[in-house]
Amino acid sequence: MTIEVEVREVAQRARVASRTLALATRAQKDATLQAMAEAMLARAEEILAANAEDVARAEADGTPANIIDRLRLTTDRLEGMAQGLRDVAGLADPVGEVVRGSVLANGLELRQVRVPFGVVGMIYEARPNVTADAAGICLKSGNAVLLRGSSSARSSNAAIVTVLRDAVAASGLDADIVQLVPGDTHDSVKALMRARGDVDVLIPRGGAGLIQSVVNESTVPVIETGVGNCHVYVDRSADLDKALAIVLNAKTHRTSVCNAAESLLVHADVADVFLPRVVAALQAEGVTLHGDDAFGAFDGVEPATDDDWEREYLPLDLAARVVPDLDEALDHIRRWSSQHTDAIVTEDQGAARRFVAEVDSAAVLVNASTRFTDGGEFGFGAEIGISTQKLHARGPMGLPEMTSTKYVVIGDGHIR
Amino acid sequence: MTIEVEVREVAQRARVASRTLALATRAQKDATLQAMAEAMLARAEEILAANAEDVARAEADGTPANIIDRLRLTTDRLEGMAQGLRDVAGLADPVGEVVRGSVLANGLELRQVRVPFGVVGMIYEARPNVTADAAGICLKSGNAVLLRGSSSARSSNAAIVTVLRDAVAASGLDADIVQLVPGDTHDSVKALMRARGDVDVLIPRGGAGLIQSVVNESTVPVIETGVGNCHVYVDRSADLDKALAIVLNAKTHRTSVCNAAESLLVHADVADVFLPRVVAALQAEGVTLHGDDAFGAFDGVEPATDDDWEREYLPLDLAARVVPDLDEALDHIRRWSSQHTDAIVTEDQGAARRFVAEVDSAAVLVNASTRFTDGGEFGFGAEIGISTQKLHARGPMGLPEMTSTKYVVIGDGHIR
């Protein structure tokens, strides 16, 4: 059997399972999520042993320490994954929500109702916690999920999925609502991307390379996530204390996340006062600046190229530039932003209003750190990723974003 | 200059124009729509002369009469197109609508706000009225539009776009918010489908072949529209008078439309009574039935094959089958429906409830004709097409479906 046929078969089993899941009550789904959480902890040893195999293999391959850290599971991390599943159980069920409804002039009752997509494919990199997170969010939103993690985490993912499937089956739902995609070569990812009709939506989570390849090769509709070249623009009328705190927080609060700042723009009128403060504060936190001429006047600042304006560094690097006015800041953001999150620091209502209107990004912030673009911070309770595309969902995606809708029309013999 | 470069340049001009359009007030947009409507009528002769060229060319090519009828413009049809533009002016502006908003626990103000996509590509067949309709809907929803009609309507489309662009420019907006895609070979369609980054969304409208080719070849996100293999299922507990009226209306009220019925399923318990009535009534309206054995017992009914269960006939043909129970009806629909619109006729609440829950189509109707799946009937005021996909929009698409959203977050120096 070729890998394509194998992947199609797995997807078709998911489709069949998705039909019963779509009809499951919230109570059934929540009980299943609680059982999944309990099983993760009850069978922690089994999962940790499998994870130790992945870690040993990664170490033998000379994998960098920060990647191994992302791969490694601990009792604490398993507890976090279990708590994530319980948290999802506590969230409202999006399925069946009436998005809009009315009685038409002719007496027809019209309702637009949330329904699951059906079968969701997840393609993701190193972190095995995504396996449990995605299974939980998909289950609650009524979707069967096909999980394709990185081959470096294959033992961990297989163990987690085994535990979750057992818990699903024991709860009386079809275990095939949670499945691993067979194979661990690129061919199996490719087969998943071509399973149009059998898979309703693909969500890639990971680096820019992974996401680009899925977007380009997939015939299944994709929700693009996550690459964040996020900007902080410090306006001429900014409160510079707030600006300093926001820039530091946005860059250094947590690195390697998509909502961290990667570029700093400063209005020329405040450069003389602000640059010495911000450069010193950032360098004290270990940040390497890649700057224009104005920033380049400071020790330790490297010269910036177009590549710096474009990059999502992730580690402690920051591109930095002085702009003559708001127009130039907007032009810079228009040209280089990945349209994830961009922030202005200003006390000027007119500047804030223009920035909000003209910056075409998933999230536009005024006087707040870019780090706030997050499903948890926004109060969604769970997040499957942050969409940077305009179709379907934009910004942090919670449970409602994991659904489609259908129109239900009730008449009494109505004809046109 | 290659066609690819030409198309990219047109799209990039559309992007620039879309930025000013996104900031236009409703008053500006409505005044422009009124000016477009007036210009269509004031310059009717010019448009009709161009249309006469298309019609003459089609006649010389031996094009079938029904296609020529769709191509032909008349003073009445122009008046209808102008009225369509005025109607769109009367609709609420979706841009800026706050979809949800709250103040977070930390005091951050969060709003999710509707914003235009940016640049929309329309690929459509014969009817030149789509040119004006699409331009109007895109303008009101803040999107620049790239129009790619069929080459058979090229003179008409060019004349309409010239008139509309002049009206847009005279109203003070950038004429490049309405543009024809250059070239009239498949290469130019292909270039549009590959203009990812420059074009935000593609909407194909037309036959199954057109839509499939766009879905398969496009790297630009696509909203799939319109193929409708719509079913009417007459349940054992149906009121057979209502059922007869609904079947006749669904099939014969208007043919060649995607919400016309293409398949009829009848519960075995009512077949003896209902089949003679429905067959006679349909045949009296000129419908050719393609039936299973039960329907085949009637004169003039042709035997149905799998191809009949699958097809969207559009003309006066109908596939027809007797099913032993609701389960088999649901199975048939699951296997063959194009997931556009499916209807049940029943007086049984339990059967209605199951049908609504288990049929996974954009619209599911109870005791009403499939012909009601329509933006106008649903009260949307304008419709750019009917989406049969699950991502972003499903069912009739009005103005809100032509937008994306962004999150606006206002703080006062907030950091994490």
Side-chain angles (χ1 to χ4, degrees):
Chain A
M1 193 155 60
T2 68
I3 187 73
E4 273 180 36
V5 174
E6 266 186 89
V7 169
R8 284 270 183 189
E9 284 190 1
V10 164
Q12 284 158 9
R13 284 208 300 274
R15 170 76 64 204
V16 172
S18 77
R19 293 200 182 111
T20 56
L21 179 59
L23 301 175
T25 60
R26 172 172 177 178
Q28 283 176 289
K29 293 190 286 191
D30 290 351
T32 306
L33 288 162
Q34 297 287 0
M36 288 159 73
E38 275 169 43
M40 293 279 297
L41 299 179
R43 293 169 68 177
E45 273 183 39
E46 191 179 329
I47 296 171
L48 293 176
N51 182 250
E53 289 173 29
D54 287 332
V55 169
R57 201 170 47 242
E59 284 172 342
D61 292 349
T63 306
N66 64 327
I67 307 282
I68 289 182
D69 178 60
R70 284 205 268 170
L71 182 58
R72 193 187 312 273
L73 291 177
T74 60
T75 310
D76 272 3
R77 285 183 179 182
L78 282 184
E79 176 54 57
M81 289 157 76
Q83 188 54 44
L85 291 165
R86 290 188 207 110
D87 289 346
V88 171
L91 295 174
D93 188 342
V95 176
E97 188 198 340
V98 178
V99 178
R100 56 181 160 182
S102 59
V103 178
L104 304 180
N106 57 11
L108 276 179
E109 293 165 39
L110 177 70
R111 277 175 293 147
Q112 186 182 16
V113 180
R114 284 201 188 284
V115 296
F117 285 127
V119 179
V120 173
M122 289 286 306
I123 302 176
Y124 52 100
E125 288 174 335
R127 282 181 275 195
N129 64 307
V130 175
T131 306
D133 291 354
I137 289 173
C138 287
L139 191 146
K140 182 71 180 246
S141 55
N143 296 295
V145 67
L146 301 177
L147 296 158
R148 178 57 165 79
S150 68
S151 54
S152 63
R154 62 175 174 264
S155 302
S156 313
N157 290 335
I160 294 167
V161 166
T162 300
V163 169
L164 295 179
R165 283 171 58 88
D166 289 351
V168 169
S171 305
L173 289 173
D174 187 336
D176 284 341
I177 59 183
V178 180
Q179 293 181 84
L180 278 187
V181 175
D184 62 0
T185 63
H186 183 69
D187 282 353
S188 93
V189 182
K190 205 162 172 173
L192 185 65
M193 296 192 292
R194 297 298 163 92
R196 192 179 176 98
D198 290 325
V199 179
D200 294 298
V201 186
L202 271 188
I203 304 177
R205 276 183 64 172
L210 169 71
I211 290 163
Q212 266 317 304
S213 96
V214 175
V215 164
N216 288 333
E217 292 179 50
S218 182
T219 59
V220 174
V222 173
I223 300 181
E224 198 175 341
T225 67
V227 174
N229 177 11
C230 304
H231 294 72
V232 177
Y233 165 60
V234 178
D235 191 40
R236 65 186 292 186
S237 68
D239 175 322
L240 297 183
D241 293 333
K242 291 179 195 169
L244 189 67
I246 287 171
V247 171
L248 278 173
N249 184 263
K251 181 68 245 180
T252 68
H253 177 255
R254 192 166 156 207
T255 54
S256 316
V257 288
C258 59
N259 59 15
E262 308 292 357
S263 291
L264 168 65
L265 304 173
V266 177
H267 192 290
D269 288 3
V270 293
D272 282 351
V273 183
F274 190 63
L275 261 53
R277 288 183 68 189
V278 78
V279 170
L282 287 165
Q283 289 180 337
E285 294 290 329
V287 175
T288 302
L289 283 155
H290 305 262
D292 65 353
D293 289 348
F295 276 91
F298 293 84
D299 279 349
V301 174
E302 297 179 6
T305 64
D306 277 0
D307 180 59
D308 290 295
W309 307 131
E310 188 163 30
R311 264 176 76 178
E312 184 189 32
Y313 295 110
L314 296 175
L316 287 173
D317 289 82
L318 183 68
R321 189 187 154 197
V322 170
V323 291
D325 51 29
L326 175 58
D327 287 298
E328 187 70 24
L330 291 169
D331 276 347
H332 183 103
I333 290 169
R334 202 169 282 140
R335 178 156 182 207
W336 300 112
S337 171
S338 65
Q339 302 185 284
H340 183 298
T341 298
D342 298 293
I344 184 174
V345 186
T346 187
E347 298 297 316
D348 175 350
Q349 175 66 4
R353 197 172 142 89
R354 266 197 76 194
F355 193 87
V356 164
E358 296 190 31
V359 171
D360 185 20
S361 296
V364 185
L365 285 70
V366 178
N367 294 334
S369 167
T370 56
R371 289 279 295 127
F372 284 107
T373 303
D374 175 88
E377 293 295 322
F378 280 9
F380 298 171
E383 176 194 288
I384 195 116
I386 296 180
S387 164
T388 50
Q389 73 179 26
K390 292 184 182 173
L391 215 61
H392 186 74
R394 197 175 191 204
M397 290 188 287
L399 292 174
E401 283 74 23
M402 293 299 287
T403 64
S404 182
T405 60
K406 72 178 165 196
Y407 285 99
V408 176
V409 185
I410 312 288
D412 186 33
H414 283 67
I415 59 171
R416 282 180 72 179
Chain B
M1 192 156 57
T2 69
I3 188 72
E4 272 179 36
V5 175
E6 266 187 89
V7 169
R8 284 270 181 186
E9 284 191 0
V10 164
Q12 284 157 8
R13 284 207 300 275
R15 171 76 64 206
V16 171
S18 77
R19 292 197 183 115
T20 55
L21 179 59
L23 301 175
T25 61
R26 171 171 179 181
Q28 282 176 291
K29 293 190 285 191
D30 290 351
T32 306
L33 288 162
Q34 297 287 0
M36 288 159 72
E38 275 170 43
M40 292 280 296
L41 300 178
R43 294 168 68 176
E45 273 183 42
E46 191 178 330
I47 296 170
L48 293 175
N51 182 251
E53 288 173 30
D54 286 331
V55 169
R57 201 171 45 240
E59 283 171 343
D61 292 348
T63 307
N66 64 328
I67 306 282
I68 288 181
D69 177 58
R70 284 206 267 170
L71 183 59
R72 182 174 282 123
L73 291 176
T74 60
T75 310
D76 273 3
R77 286 183 177 181
L78 282 183
E79 177 54 56
M81 289 158 74
Q83 188 55 44
L85 292 165
R86 289 188 209 109
D87 290 346
V88 171
L91 296 174
D93 189 341
V95 176
E97 188 200 338
V98 178
V99 177
R100 55 180 160 183
S102 60
V103 179
L104 304 180
N106 57 11
L108 276 179
E109 294 166 37
L110 176 71
R111 278 176 293 146
Q112 185 183 17
V113 180
R114 285 202 186 283
V115 297
F117 286 127
V119 178
V120 173
M122 289 287 304
I123 302 177
Y124 53 101
E125 288 174 334
R127 282 180 276 195
N129 63 307
V130 175
T131 307
D133 290 355
I137 289 173
C138 287
L139 191 147
K140 183 70 180 245
S141 53
N143 296 296
V145 67
L146 301 177
L147 297 157
R148 180 54 165 79
S150 67
S151 55
S152 63
R154 62 175 175 263
S155 302
S156 313
N157 290 335
I160 293 166
V161 167
T162 300
V163 170
L164 295 179
R165 284 172 57 89
D166 288 352
V168 169
S171 304
L173 289 173
D174 188 333
D176 285 340
I177 60 184
V178 181
Q179 293 181 83
L180 280 186
V181 176
D184 60 3
T185 62
H186 183 69
D187 283 352
S188 92
V189 181
K190 205 162 173 174
L192 186 63
M193 296 192 293
R194 298 298 163 92
R196 192 178 175 99
D198 290 327
V199 179
D200 294 297
V201 186
L202 268 188
I203 304 177
R205 275 184 65 173
L210 168 71
I211 290 164
Q212 267 316 304
S213 95
V214 175
V215 163
N216 289 333
E217 293 179 49
S218 182
T219 58
V220 175
V222 172
I223 301 181
E224 199 175 341
T225 67
V227 174
N229 177 11
C230 303
H231 294 71
V232 178
Y233 164 60
V234 179
D235 190 38
R236 62 185 297 182
S237 69
D239 175 322
L240 297 182
D241 293 333
K242 289 179 195 168
L244 189 67
I246 287 171
V247 172
L248 278 172
N249 184 263
K251 181 68 244 182
T252 69
H253 177 254
R254 193 167 157 208
T255 54
S256 317
V257 288
C258 59
N259 59 15
E262 308 292 357
S263 291
L264 168 65
L265 304 173
V266 178
H267 192 289
D269 289 0
V270 293
D272 283 351
V273 183
F274 190 62
L275 261 53
R277 290 183 67 190
V278 77
V279 170
L282 286 164
Q283 289 181 338
E285 294 290 331
V287 175
T288 302
L289 283 155
H290 306 263
D292 65 353
D293 290 347
F295 275 92
F298 294 84
D299 280 350
V301 174
E302 298 179 4
T305 64
D306 277 359
D307 181 58
D308 291 296
W309 307 132
E310 188 163 30
R311 264 175 75 178
E312 184 190 31
Y313 296 110
L314 295 176
L316 287 172
D317 290 80
L318 183 69
R321 188 188 155 195
V322 170
V323 291
D325 51 28
L326 174 58
D327 287 299
E328 186 70 24
L330 291 170
D331 276 348
H332 184 103
I333 290 169
R334 202 169 281 140
R335 177 154 182 210
W336 300 111
S337 171
S338 66
Q339 302 184 285
H340 183 297
T341 297
D342 298 294
I344 184 173
V345 187
T346 188
E347 298 297 316
D348 174 351
Q349 174 66 6
R353 198 172 141 89
R354 264 197 76 192
F355 194 87
V356 164
E358 296 190 31
V359 171
D360 185 20
S361 296
V364 185
L365 285 70
V366 178
N367 294 333
S369 168
T370 56
R371 290 278 293 124
F372 284 107
T373 304
D374 175 88
E377 292 295 322
F378 280 8
F380 298 170
E383 177 195 287
I384 195 116
I386 296 180
S387 164
T388 51
Q389 74 179 26
K390 292 185 182 171
L391 215 62
H392 185 73
R394 197 177 190 204
M397 290 187 286
L399 292 174
E401 284 73 23
M402 294 298 287
T403 63
S404 182
T405 61
K406 72 177 165 195
Y407 286 99
V408 176
V409 185
I410 312 288
D412 187 32
H414 283 67
I415 58 170
R416 281 180 73 179

